[in-house]
Amino acid sequence: MGGRLTRLQARRIALAAQGFTRPAPERVRREHLARLVRRLGFFQIDSVNVLQRAHYMPAYSRLGPYDVDLLHRAAGRAPRLMFEYWAHEAALVDVDLWPAMRHRMRSRRGIWAGPARVAEEHPDLVARVREEVERRGPITARELDAHLGGPERDRRHWGWNWSLTKQALEYLFRIGEVTAARRNSAFEREYDLPERVLPPQVLARDDLDDEQAHLVLVEHAARALGVGTAQCLRDYFRMAPQDTRRAIDELVARGTLEPVRIDGWDRQAYLHAEAVRPRSVRARTLLSPFDPLVFERTRAERLFDFRYRIEIYVPAEKRVHGYYVLPFLLGDRLVARVDLKADRAAGRLIVHSAFAEASAPAETAAELVAELRRLAGWLGLADVEIGSRGDLAPALRAEV
């Protein structure tokens, strides 16, 4: 049952589905961002700011240099295009997915032990915190702690040493009784009630039941990926295997998904009925480590022969490629990886290391330097500085 695809065909389908075959607009406007949000479904959030925070990068990688205030307004000012919730991980999510995400809020799935314990042991505090958000929101956990007279959180140890107030807020956030109006300049959530954040037309829609929600999310994942295995579809919104399987079977029965085999893959794959099959892809961009093209590492390896592991939490002396390493997409292949840092004080984009893949074409260094200069310009950095580490570094220095 179903057809066959070569890996090259599957790769090009995936790149088209992810938005890498459309020409970049001369000037990025809100409607371009809105189309991309609907295409991908979310931008994953990460707090690491050594280069640029992760949620800004997918739009850059697909649309080119843009004014990040577009994203700030889309996520933090009415009428919003996105709301913050847990999708793949913490993410800015398409507001149209709010009715589907409500099933996750109802299920209490994914609530960490601390917030769950606070909800169980301190229900009066949780109720008080919600009342104060209603009265004072948008408000940060730090501001609410100060208002309630709670103790300062323990800062003696690394990690999320949350106060009881913060854990109560996180519980309310997970179950959808509060949401984030925006992030402030310190990257803190400003909490408020959903009815004061989300567009009225979104709140007016009926919540989806569990079966409907899984159908929506699996179909969205399939559309955003173009083609993928059940694991790919499950991972996109981090869904349970059985729920994903039932949704896939229903979408196959409806003709929305077509079972296909991909050469060299040992698992059944599924092609979205509306997936585009481009004959070529002429992309050139750098990707965040948390970009949906590569965040499922097994898929990235199968599609691109690109084994990718983020090494932020690996001791420096044990890192293979570097601290914050970005894949370089050229044409329809991932051809290199670079460890980057934005030295904002000195106005430099620093390339700590650069490594070429075995399939990298002769023009890789020249194309990568052009892309590094484009990225530096977007970040407001005047110079690109190439370090000495990696087999591609000498060629990059020669181009610079």
Side-chain angles (χ1 to χ4, degrees):
M1 180 181 178
R4 296 195 70 88
L5 297 171
T6 67
R7 282 207 299 171
L8 177 59
Q9 288 173 320
R11 188 161 68 241
R12 288 175 175 170
I13 288 168
L15 286 165
Q18 283 279 298
F20 289 103
T21 55
R22 290 174 173 263
E26 289 186 12
R27 182 185 174 206
V28 180
R29 297 188 298 274
R30 179 182 169 93
E31 56 263 35
H32 300 120
L33 183 63
R35 283 198 292 269
L36 183 61
V37 170
R38 288 193 295 270
R39 175 183 290 273
L40 299 183
F42 60 85
F43 298 159
Q44 185 172 333
I45 295 171
D46 190 78
S47 60
V48 175
N49 198 27
V50 66
L51 178 72
Q52 175 65 293
R53 286 197 170 104
H55 50 287
Y56 296 108
M57 286 295 296
Y60 166 82
S61 297
R62 292 156 178 81
L63 302 175
Y66 71 102
D67 182 355
V68 296
D69 279 343
L70 275 176
L71 187 58
H72 294 160
R73 292 193 294 271
R77 191 181 304 172
R80 288 171 174 80
L81 296 175
M82 293 175 280
F83 70 99
E84 187 173 337
Y85 197 63
W86 292 84
H88 179 80
E89 293 284 351
L92 295 174
V93 185
D94 181 357
V95 291
D96 286 331
L97 291 175
W98 173 266
M101 285 294 174
R102 291 289 290 160
H103 89 283
R104 190 167 291 183
M105 299 171 189
R106 291 192 305 268
S107 74
R108 308 297 203 260
R109 179 186 165 200
I111 298 177
W112 298 326
R117 187 168 57 250
V118 167
E120 181 179 345
E121 297 176 0
H122 304 280
D124 292 344
L125 173 64
V126 173
R128 174 79 188 282
V129 164
R130 193 201 178 282
E131 290 170 1
E132 291 301 323
V133 171
E134 182 175 6
R135 182 177 296 116
R136 301 173 185 278
I139 189 169
T140 67
R142 180 170 46 84
E143 291 167 339
L144 192 52
D145 261 332
H147 173 71
L148 295 177
E152 282 287 315
R153 70 179 178 89
D154 185 352
R155 298 178 182 273
R156 292 172 298 175
H157 306 291
W158 181 90
W160 290 333
N161 301 306
W162 286 348
S163 68
L164 290 179
T165 301
K166 171 62 177 175
Q167 293 186 65
L169 280 167
E170 179 61 23
Y171 175 78
L172 290 166
F173 179 82
R174 284 284 192 157
I175 67 172
E177 290 197 20
V178 304
T179 190
R182 64 190 62 87
R183 295 267 184 156
N184 65 16
S185 59
F187 205 57
E188 298 170 298
R189 284 191 190 122
E190 295 184 6
Y191 295 90
D192 208 343
L193 300 183
E195 53 264 38
R196 294 201 293 243
V197 172
L198 289 154
Q201 68 271 20
V202 171
L203 289 168
R205 296 174 194 162
D206 292 335
D207 295 344
L208 303 183
D209 65 28
D210 288 0
E211 182 179 352
Q212 293 170 327
H214 286 106
L215 281 170
V216 166
L217 295 177
V218 171
E219 193 276 336
H220 197 298
R223 186 185 297 272
L225 294 173
V227 65
T229 65
Q231 168 62 20
C232 300
L233 301 180
R234 184 195 73 78
D235 181 75
Y236 202 79
F237 286 103
R238 293 285 167 88
M239 291 176 284
Q242 288 184 341
D243 296 324
T244 303
R245 181 74 265 165
R246 283 192 289 269
I248 289 172
D249 290 344
E250 175 62 25
L251 291 167
V252 168
R254 294 181 183 185
T256 305
L257 298 183
E258 177 191 350
V260 294
R261 289 287 179 182
I262 300 173
D263 292 347
W265 291 31
D266 57 0
R267 295 186 181 183
Q268 179 71 64
Y270 300 90
L271 176 70
H272 195 281
E274 297 179 10
V276 176
R277 302 191 186 201
R279 300 186 65 165
S280 65
V281 178
R282 294 181 173 86
R284 191 201 72 192
T285 196
L286 286 159
L287 303 171
S288 158
F290 307 102
D291 192 287
L293 186 68
V294 295
F295 62 34
E296 212 288 293
R297 308 307 192 200
T298 300
R299 174 181 170 84
E301 190 164 357
R302 286 175 174 167
L303 278 176
F304 295 98
D305 287 326
F306 190 82
R307 191 173 190 278
Y308 186 40
R309 301 292 182 271
I310 191 163
E311 299 180 272
I312 289 173
Y313 303 112
V314 176
E317 66 277 8
K318 294 184 178 180
R319 290 178 195 140
V320 177
H321 296 108
Y323 177 78
Y324 201 73
V325 176
L326 281 73
F328 179 46
L329 173 65
L330 184 62
D332 57 24
R333 290 180 291 173
L334 297 176
V335 300
R337 61 188 88 200
V338 285
D339 181 17
L340 301 181
K341 177 181 178 180
D343 185 342
R344 296 172 178 88
R348 296 177 299 179
L349 176 62
I350 299 174
V351 184
H352 288 303
S353 66
F355 296 85
E357 296 298 295
S359 61
E363 65 271 20
T364 295
E367 294 284 0
L368 179 51
V369 165
E371 173 58 23
L372 290 167
R373 285 177 172 149
R374 185 178 77 140
L375 177 64
W378 178 56
L379 296 175
L381 306 172
D383 298 313
V384 176
E385 179 182 303
I386 311 295
S388 59
R389 188 163 179 263
D391 60 352
L392 190 55
L396 294 183
R397 284 200 302 274
E399 290 290 337
V400 169

